[in-house]
Amino acid sequence: MTATRVLVLNSGSSSVKYQLLDMADSSRLAVGLVERIGEEGSRLVHEALAGPGAEGGRRERTGAIADHAQALRAVAEELAADGLGLDSPELAAVGHRVVHGGTRFTAPTVIDDEVLAEIRSLIPLAPLHNPANVTGIEVARELRADLPQVAVFDTAFHSTMPEHVARYAIDAATAEKYSIRRYGFHGTSHAYVSRATAALLGKPVEEVNVIVLHLGNGASASAVRGGVCVETSMGLTPLEGLVMGTRSGDLDPAVVFHLARVGGLSVDEIDSLLNKKSGLLGLCGDNDMREVTRRAGEGDEAARLALAAYAHRLKKYIGAYTAVLGRVDAVVFTAGVGENASVVRKAAISGLEGLGLALDPEANAARSAQPRLISPASARVAVAVVPTDEELEIATQAYALVTQ
């Protein structure tokens, strides 16, 4: 029996998202989420999409889930109940999302003890994410010690940025000592969407230049030339770049000094302010774009300001990345906000006619789960909406690596 299945695990600080895919046809066999791990009201939601368990529909279990080890064992039980257990000979690999790969990990990597130690050593660069990623890997290795475990890194797709793009203009020795450079994030999404956009345009990916706008609660932009990332908006951490749900994005670094010297805020307080209390939330009190656009439509001035700031930052990056690429074939929106918020897409593209960008109002307003163009046929640069699929991208990379 040929092993064609890949279990994708995305272990967060208090959650585990998972999908089981069959790479023979890229179909999903099961999906699920464990949330509020280590808290009251832990919950596991599981759905089998194929096999004997598919008839049962969605299942939910509540009750204390103390840690990631217990969470992953619960996931294994749910999969086994549907005849999709981790002991299946059809399982080829487990693919793990790992947020930070530093400069060493620039491609999917089979995990051994040395690789796991390296991922641990990168925790200072991603203190909120890499610890949970490590825990997920450790538990999965215990459950199936014989199975290839593959790390797929958020930063890897952006490792192709030229050195003059990746470097900050600070003292070189200090930057080297503390690994300070621009890494970029959301790489699996940018990789998947840039390829899918080329397919939508009916062109080889090597011939297409794309600006990808991944807009969720976290948001990032990338400039992709012929399938290769040459610039992205996030930097050392996911704080740099676009206005986000709770993150400030770009700001004068001296704001930090000012808050410390004049405001008396500690480093941790400033970190919390810029990462958790800024962005849309800081400007208008809401970080859900649906609520922001609703309020803005009703005339709420704070929401209007937040939406205008969000769109303005997008325009700046579209313009800057047009200059970087020289020729742009498409600007593509993806992720929760990018795929669903027509108001945001309209606000971002409006006024950029000089760059060859325009929207078809009806196409932009129409809702669809399919990749689609929302620009008129006459537009010099296509504008597209392409749903992202990070789990499929992780599974694809993991499966390709273990079957080479």
Side-chain angles (χ1 to χ4, degrees):
M1 181 181 294
T2 302
T4 58
R5 295 176 181 174
V6 176
L7 176 64
V8 176
L9 295 178
N10 182 352
S11 298
S13 58
S14 62
S15 68
V16 175
K17 298 177 184 177
Y18 63 93
Q19 291 193 13
L20 180 66
L21 299 96
D22 190 335
M23 301 315 296
D25 57 4
S26 299
S27 62
R28 282 171 175 74
L29 304 179
V31 300
L33 166 68
V34 188
E35 58 184 352
R36 296 193 286 274
I37 297 171
E39 305 173 17
E40 290 187 13
S42 303
R43 184 174 74 132
L44 188 157
V45 179
H46 173 88
E47 184 176 8
L49 304 176
E55 297 179 2
R58 174 174 154 161
R59 299 195 299 270
E60 183 175 328
R61 66 158 89 170
T62 56
I65 297 178
D67 52 30
H68 284 71
Q70 189 176 345
L72 284 171
R73 289 189 176 92
V75 169
E77 290 171 6
E78 293 295 332
L79 290 168
D82 294 323
L84 303 170
L86 296 189
D87 58 349
S88 169
E90 295 179 72
L91 193 60
V94 178
H96 296 267
R97 180 198 179 208
V98 179
V99 167
H100 217 303
T103 55
R104 171 174 174 181
F105 298 112
T106 60
T109 304
V110 174
I111 300 166
D112 56 19
D113 291 342
E114 180 185 351
V115 169
L116 187 56
E118 287 278 353
I119 294 172
R120 281 199 194 95
S121 75
L122 295 169
I123 285 175
L125 292 175
L128 298 178
H129 298 94
N130 270 36
N133 302 156
V134 166
T135 301
I137 292 168
E138 290 174 333
V139 176
R141 292 179 83 196
E142 289 174 10
L143 291 174
R144 276 295 303 270
D146 61 312
L147 197 67
Q149 310 277 332
V150 178
V152 177
F153 299 89
D154 268 17
T155 50
F157 182 65
H158 306 301
S159 65
T160 54
M161 287 189 294
E163 191 67 6
H164 67 274
V165 175
R167 291 283 291 271
Y168 290 109
I170 66 171
D171 173 68
T174 301
E176 176 71 20
K177 182 177 181 179
Y178 297 106
S179 302
I180 298 173
R181 61 188 291 117
R182 302 184 64 246
Y183 294 98
F185 300 89
H186 296 144
T188 52
S189 177
H190 288 277
Y192 176 85
V193 170
S194 57
R195 289 201 315 274
T197 302
L200 180 64
L201 297 178
K203 297 180 179 179
V205 67
E206 296 80 11
E207 297 178 7
V208 176
N209 291 354
V210 183
I211 297 172
V212 179
L213 303 173
H214 176 106
L215 308 180
N217 192 49
S220 60
S222 67
V224 183
R225 177 182 292 124
V228 176
C229 179
V230 296
E231 170 68 285
T232 193
S233 58
M234 287 179 167
L236 174 72
T237 76
L239 181 59
E240 186 179 358
L242 304 175
V243 175
M244 304 178 221
T246 64
R247 298 180 195 138
S248 64
D250 294 336
L251 82 167
D252 182 346
V255 169
V256 175
F257 315 144
H258 182 79
L259 289 171
R261 292 169 180 159
V262 179
L265 275 68
S266 68
V267 170
D268 287 343
E269 287 172 328
I270 296 171
D271 187 309
S272 178
L273 172 70
L274 298 181
N275 277 291
K276 299 178 181 179
K277 302 175 184 177
S278 297
L280 295 174
L281 182 66
L283 288 169
C284 74
D286 270 309
N287 67 305
D288 188 323
M289 183 59 80
R290 292 167 295 189
E291 188 65 14
V292 174
T293 54
R294 182 193 66 77
R295 287 172 50 192
E298 294 175 355
D300 184 302
E301 287 303 320
R304 283 184 171 181
L305 173 64
L307 183 57
Y310 190 97
H312 178 72
R313 192 73 58 83
L314 286 171
K315 288 178 189 288
K316 285 179 64 176
Y317 272 89
I318 292 170
Y321 287 179
T322 297
V324 167
L325 290 170
R327 187 201 83 242
V328 177
D329 297 294
V331 173
V332 56
F333 292 85
T334 194
V337 174
E339 293 170 27
N340 297 296
S342 59
V343 172
V344 170
R345 297 192 296 260
K346 179 181 177 181
I349 298 300
S350 177
L352 299 182
E353 291 80 9
L355 298 180
L357 293 160
L359 290 182
D360 178 321
E362 290 187 8
N364 184 47
R367 297 184 69 85
S368 172
Q370 299 303 313
R372 61 199 186 275
L373 295 177
I374 58 172
S375 50
S378 59
R380 189 169 78 247
V381 178
V383 181
V385 178
V386 175
T388 191
D389 197 332
E390 295 175 89
E391 290 78 14
L392 177 58
E393 180 68 18
I394 291 170
T396 299
Q397 293 190 27
Y399 187 67
L401 181 62
V402 301
T403 55
Q404 282 178 350

